[in-house]
Amino acid sequence: MSAYPEKLCAITGAGQSEVGRPSSRTALQLTADACLQAISDAGLKPSDIDGIATYPGKSSEGGGIAPVSPSEAAAVLGIDPKWILASAEGFSHMAPIFNAINAIACGFARHVVVFRSVAQAQARLVSRASTLMSGSRNRVDGNNAWSVPYNALSPINTFALYAQAYFEKYGANEAQLGAIAVNNRANAAHNPNAIYRKPLSLDDYLAARVISSPLRLFDCDSHIDGSTAIVVSSLDAAKDLKNPPLHFESIGMGVGGLWVGKYEGDFTCMPAARTCGAMLWSRTNLKPADMDCAQIYDGFSIHVWMWMEALGLVPPGEACRFVEGGSRIAIDGELPLNTGGGQLSAGRFHGYGHIHEATVQLWGRGGGRQVKDARTCIVSNGGYGYGAMILRRP
């Protein structure tokens, strides 16, 4: 038996609902669409699924950030799971995937469907304040309590400080940061499910309004309605299914202080992301240079630089120069990045769009955005809790 539980599991199916701003379908309908698509993609039936998981479970805070519980999803899918999970805390939105791996390795399940659903566009139809940290509540809890009193009503206010610190320490500039948004949009043009496919030039990026200096409009991801799902299966069961199994080569995780308002150290990086990266590489013989493509979390464009450095894809302070001009991160470049458009152009799936895109690339389904001969993909997720994985097609 492998010392690492992820070596015993694989992704066998993936699905994604329509993506809307807003969608005419309910969050539960979108969830069912994605899960059924993923199950069918794996060559399975709903009755074959014996586990279901999501993050963070159904949220009582509203705003469309977590509108569907795993119990509701199981009921509408008609499955009777032996293992079920929802957790409000964890290593970012990858937590249910990591827990599904553990459940399978321990024999609690053989096929787990993991989904992430959002209905933030629908919520904003009701109130544009629904996605603000403060909302209409008189009391704000958790990490929001450390920022809202200072009129920082959005995570952009926090991560703009990180971007400014990075600019000042490493001499980065706005055109370099804009290369992330421009590259994402070019890739999204080949993704029929992306919400923004109109070409975006660097001049367009620089002309856009500043939201929280130095971050502009196109540095921000966009709220959507939609659902993404994957099926995680035991490796012995995966070999007989429809798709070539995508092996979990390694996983990494870390929990940072941002969630509880703890800011310390070098503000040009996310220390817990470095912890995550160190764990990731300690569990594989592969090296950063072995990655055929990368799906890097981009809640804001500055996340990409910090994640690239935390994962050792580039040295500290070099991400800004690596992406400059966009040629090295293009589909035919040295490290194709966010090949489906990322969250900046394909919509805010809280990182699950990146996971779905990794399956698209490794199963050769990318069409005009397909990376030639892609067999390895590194995926990162999160700006508060941190998770990363390397997926490999043997």
Side-chain angles (χ1 to χ4, degrees):
M1 180 177 176
S2 170
Y4 300 133
E6 66 265 32
K7 307 290 189 181
L8 305 176
C9 304
I11 294 178
T12 54
Q16 190 172 89
S17 72
E18 69 173 30
V19 180
R21 277 178 56 84
S23 171
S24 61
R25 295 177 68 73
T26 68
L28 191 56
Q29 288 173 323
L30 294 170
T31 301
D33 292 344
C35 291
L36 290 173
Q37 187 184 131
I39 294 166
S40 175
D41 185 47
L44 296 169
K45 303 183 295 295
S47 58
D48 296 315
I49 302 299
D50 51 7
I52 187 167
T54 192
Y55 172 97
K58 192 167 185 176
S59 173
S60 61
E61 294 186 7
I65 198 166
V68 178
S69 74
S71 298
E72 290 172 326
V76 77
L77 292 170
I79 65 175
D80 185 19
K82 292 187 253 179
W83 180 83
I84 190 167
L85 173 87
S87 174
E89 294 193 25
F91 305 101
S92 81
H93 301 277
M94 284 187 183
I97 300 175
F98 297 163
N99 282 294
I101 288 170
N102 287 327
I104 291 169
C106 290
F108 296 134
R110 282 172 63 79
H111 301 291
V112 179
V113 63
V114 182
F115 70 90
R116 180 74 177 98
S117 300
V118 288
Q120 292 186 282
Q122 292 180 18
R124 282 174 64 89
L125 283 180
V126 178
S127 170
R128 288 188 60 83
S130 65
T131 55
L132 295 178
M133 286 182 172
S134 59
S136 59
R137 293 171 292 170
N138 293 324
R139 184 175 181 83
V140 181
D141 300 317
N143 66 307
N144 303 346
W146 300 94
S147 54
V148 168
Y150 299 95
N151 205 35
L153 304 182
S154 164
I156 191 173
N157 304 125
T158 297
F159 287 105
L161 297 175
Y162 281 77
Q164 188 61 47
Y166 191 104
F167 275 32
E168 293 177 2
K169 181 174 181 176
Y170 295 120
N173 60 58
E174 294 167 331
Q176 291 171 330
L177 193 61
I180 300 293
V182 172
N183 177 73
N184 279 24
R185 185 63 63 85
N187 294 340
H190 302 285
N191 179 0
N193 230 17
I195 55 171
Y196 298 129
R197 285 174 286 171
K198 180 180 176 182
L200 177 72
S201 69
L202 184 58
D203 287 341
D204 294 331
Y205 167 86
L206 293 172
R209 70 181 185 273
V210 173
I211 306 299
S212 188
S213 182
L215 300 182
R216 288 176 156 78
L217 176 65
F218 296 116
D219 290 309
C220 310
D221 64 9
S222 295
H223 54 269
I224 55 170
D225 300 334
S227 182
T228 296
I230 60 170
V231 176
V232 181
S233 301
S234 65
L235 203 54
D236 63 338
K239 66 180 183 294
D240 297 322
L241 298 184
K242 187 167 67 173
N243 297 317
L246 303 182
H247 291 225
F248 291 98
E249 175 66 23
S250 66
I251 61 175
M253 56 192 78
V255 174
L258 298 188
W259 193 250
V260 290
K262 183 180 179 183
Y263 305 91
E264 61 183 1
D266 188 343
F267 277 65
T268 65
C269 67
M270 300 178 292
R274 290 182 172 176
T275 300
C276 174
M279 178 180 172
L280 182 82
W281 296 114
S282 73
R283 302 164 78 89
T284 177
N285 291 324
L286 296 179
K287 305 298 180 187
D290 296 321
M291 297 299 101
D292 293 326
C293 57
Q295 313 300 334
I296 303 298
Y297 183 75
D298 57 344
F300 302 104
S301 54
I302 187 60
H303 282 128
V304 177
W305 287 357
M306 293 192 290
W307 263 117
M308 289 176 70
E309 295 176 9
L311 295 174
L313 298 172
V314 295
E318 287 301 314
C320 55
R321 280 167 276 279
F322 187 92
V323 306
E324 186 172 10
S327 61
R328 299 173 78 180
I329 57 173
I331 294 296
D332 59 352
E334 183 179 333
L335 182 67
L337 179 71
N338 291 352
T339 52
Q343 296 195 162
L344 302 184
S345 285
R348 183 194 299 156
F349 268 116
H350 293 103
Y352 270 62
H354 296 76
I355 299 165
H356 183 269
E357 180 64 19
T359 71
V360 167
Q361 291 296 326
L362 298 181
W363 279 325
R365 300 170 175 175
R369 67 186 194 273
Q370 180 63 46
V371 175
K372 185 179 179 181
D373 300 326
R375 303 194 76 85
T376 58
C377 184
I378 188 169
V379 188
S380 72
N381 195 323
Y384 292 98
Y386 304 84
M389 65 175 71
I390 295 172
L391 296 176
R392 174 177 59 86
R393 176 175 174 169

